Amino acid sequence: MAIIHKANLSPTKLEIIADYLPTQPWFIQDGTPELIGAYRFDDPAGEVGIETHVVAAGERIYQVPLSYRGHELGGADEWLIGTMEHSVLGKRWVYDACADPVYVKALATAILTGQEQAALLVEGESEPRPSSVTVKGSGTLDGGVPALSASAPVSGSGVTIIDAGGLKLKVARVVDVAADASATTASAPELHHELILSGQWAGLDKPVELAAVIRD
């Protein structure tokens, strides 16, 4: 369960995302970014915030995974998006989560084991809040995930590929909202996908593919 603090952020998450997107090769500058929603994964150690934002800009939908840390992530300066002041937690370092090993592990776990997004419990409230984006992995693995090693993600053609050692992950940066994730799962052998993370939000009539385990 992800604990959400009632806090002020400076700059805001959307401000950080709006500055970050134009620097990415998969972003087409055809509109002002607007937040559609977000989903979270849990860090079992409770140290890293893992939140993926779904953003509209022009006619395209983008997926922006971020990780929030209380300290700098060693060796990840290239993937540091910026810092923010959190009125409860203090200074937070914000990273492109595709380069954060905690996110990579959480994403792989969700896909392989069929997990959903983390429940959101706002500090001071007794009942979890619904997530604005719901996700679910297509796997059914019961024995956990293989040991993973971090490596620099590689982006191009609207996707980011993460070679995590024990497996490779594909994260959609430009989301194909016209494609049916259930159809993708059924035809996985032909598409070289083994398992996927599908997602849905208000205004979509079917889930779409957000990430996948891929075969060489």
Side-chain angles (χ1 to χ4, degrees), residues 143-187:
V145 301
L148 303 178
S149 60
S151 65
V154 177
S155 295
S157 300
V159 301
T160 293
I161 303 298
I162 306 168
D163 187 344
L167 50 78
K168 286 185 179 181
L169 297 166
K170 183 191 77 170
V171 178
R173 297 298 201 156
V174 181
V175 180
D176 184 358
V177 294
D180 188 338
S182 59
T184 300
T185 305
S187 59

Side-chain angles (χ1 to χ4, degrees), residues 4-92:
I4 309 300
H5 298 279
K6 295 180 179 178
N8 295 319
L9 303 177
S10 179
T12 67
K13 295 173 184 177
L14 185 55
E15 287 172 338
I16 284 181
I17 291 170
D19 287 341
Y20 163 73
L21 284 175
T23 68
Q24 299 309 300
W26 37 264
F27 180 69
I28 306 299
Q29 300 187 47
D30 60 354
T32 301
E34 298 180 3
L35 183 62
I36 292 175
Y39 62 94
R40 286 182 177 257
F41 291 135
D42 277 328
D43 170 18
E47 294 294 326
V48 180
I50 309 169
E51 185 174 33
T52 298
H53 299 267
V54 177
V55 178
E59 297 181 354
R60 294 174 176 82
I61 305 296
Y62 298 94
Q63 184 177 207
V64 186
L66 301 179
S67 64
Y68 312 119
R69 289 177 166 265
H71 304 279
E72 293 179 80
L73 175 60
D77 289 351
E78 180 181 354
W79 311 103
L80 178 66
I81 295 174
T83 60
M84 65 169 61
E85 291 297 328
H86 190 289
S87 62
V88 175
L89 300 176
K91 187 174 183 179
R92 305 291 281 172

Side-chain angles (χ1 to χ4, degrees), residues 130-150:
S131 179
S132 53
V133 177
T134 58
V135 299
K136 183 173 176 56
S138 63
T140 57
L141 182 66
D142 294 327
V145 301
L148 303 178
S149 60

